[in-house]
Amino acid sequence: MKNSTIRFIIFVLFASCVVIAPQVQSSNTHSVNWGYSGDASPKNWGNLSPKFETCKLGKEQSPINLNDKSASSAKSLEFTYKNTPFKVINNGHAIEVDYKAGSYIEIEGKRYELLQFHFHSPSEHRVKGEAYPMEAHLVHKSQDGQLAVVGVFLKEGQYNPFIETLWANILTHKGERIVRGVTINASALPPQDKSYYHYTGSLTTPPCTEGVEWYVLKQPIEISSQQLAKFKSVYSGNARPVQPLNQRVIETKEF
Ligand SMILES: [Zn+2]
């Protein structure tokens, strides 16, 4: 090959790198791959994309370890969950159930609409250092855009008919299923005793946005060992490790 030909090939290769590289980069930031193991694991989330910076720079992150050294809270928490048809989504990170509009919680009279709930295994929040086998997150949003998430711990025990209805429609691969002819009511998730831990934190998944009001219920609900095993066969280990509390105060309320 002539020298000039080699020079031309090198030029073309170089030019194409320059042209292609920014495109690769920008398409990466559109759908950044994150997960719970390997290079995309929680400790690297903050480095995967500039959009995920809060995951490493945020000072009010979730989940956290909950303990009794807390201030007491007088905030009222009321649930109004209605029957709804539902859609089950396996989003590649969790099993999520989308809820129709019209169900909500009220915190001190302020209304937060229930959007969806999903599950983590093991639990993301810990109580005095201990994790539960699972945790459900009921995600709510107020009209002014404030997020409030209610966490419910699940432990091994009695068979749970509500969970059975969900698990019967679980997708083992990424995708969604609109469930027809069946309605559910998410009021089956929170326990009778609504005593809670409250603190201000973040989404527990990228982009780790802060300003989320967390209400983690103290009393766990029960599911059978078979039901737990079924969930774990689809998702296990989709829990972010606990984050530093920093200057935050955990409030508690007993009902
Ligand atoms: Zn969650």
Side-chain angles (χ1 to χ4, degrees):
M1 225 185 291
K2 272 198 241 162
N3 261 357
S4 61
T5 316
I6 292 170
R7 270 203 299 275
F8 178 71
I9 291 171
I10 289 171
F11 170 76
V12 169
L13 284 175
F14 177 75
S16 59
C17 284
V18 171
V19 173
I20 291 167
Q23 287 170 351
V24 170
Q25 217 169 18
S26 74
S27 74
N28 269 350
T29 48
H30 277 297
S31 60
V32 183
N33 234 340
W34 59 269
Y36 294 94
S37 60
D39 290 343
S41 71
K43 67 176 186 324
N44 287 333
W45 285 352
N47 301 320
L48 296 176
S49 158
K51 289 180 191 163
F52 295 175
E53 265 190 341
T54 311
C55 300
K56 65 173 176 184
L57 300 178
K59 294 279 178 273
E60 297 197 335
Q61 290 288 292
S62 294
I64 57 167
N65 182 40
L66 302 161
N67 59 52
D68 282 339
K69 288 180 222 143
S70 327
S72 64
S73 162
K75 286 194 184 77
S76 66
L77 174 61
E78 304 285 341
F79 292 78
T80 307
Y81 287 167
K82 297 178 182 155
N83 287 348
T84 179
F86 65 107
K87 186 162 83 174
V88 181
I89 300 166
N90 181 337
N91 62 19
H93 304 293
I95 298 292
E96 179 181 312
V97 178
D98 277 7
Y99 222 78
K100 273 252 164 80
S103 293
Y104 53 88
I105 54 170
E106 283 167 301
I107 302 162
E108 290 293 278
K110 181 173 175 179
R111 189 179 286 206
Y112 297 77
E113 189 86 20
L114 175 62
L115 305 177
Q116 50 102 337
F117 59 88
H118 60 266
F119 298 90
H120 298 268
S121 176
S123 70
E124 296 203 298
H125 288 96
R126 285 168 177 254
V127 180
K128 294 168 205 153
E130 295 293 322
Y132 283 92
M134 285 183 70
E135 182 175 346
H137 288 159
L138 295 134
V139 181
H140 310 77
K141 198 177 193 175
S142 67
Q143 229 163 19
D144 60 6
Q146 172 89 55
L147 286 176
V149 184
V150 173
V152 178
F153 293 121
L154 284 74
K155 70 170 187 180
E156 209 175 304
Q158 291 212 321
Y159 167 87
N160 185 316
F162 175 73
I163 292 291
E164 198 61 26
T165 307
L166 302 181
W167 278 199
N169 294 291
I170 227 170
L171 293 168
T172 52
H173 300 289
K174 219 171 159 176
E176 50 181 75
R177 173 181 288 161
I178 296 166
V179 183
R180 299 189 195 283
V182 187
T183 58
I184 53 164
N185 194 318
S187 59
L189 271 178
Q192 204 79 43
D193 178 349
K194 305 288 195 300
S195 300
Y196 63 70
Y197 296 102
H198 166 60
Y199 75 99
T200 306
S202 72
L203 300 179
T204 65
T205 54
C208 308
T209 314
E210 295 190 333
V212 177
E213 296 301 326
W214 278 93
Y215 290 83
V216 182
L217 303 185
K218 291 185 170 186
Q219 198 65 42
I221 62 163
E222 295 186 3
I223 62 171
S224 71
S225 55
Q226 288 88 341
Q227 291 178 317
L228 183 59
K230 177 154 187 188
F231 182 84
K232 283 188 167 179
S233 72
V234 183
Y235 275 108
S236 191
N238 64 337
R240 186 188 195 193
V242 289
Q243 304 296 305
L245 182 63
N246 295 325
Q247 310 309 317
R248 289 174 289 178
V249 174
I250 305 165
E251 297 177 340
T252 70
K253 185 172 171 81
E254 306 290 337
F255 283 94

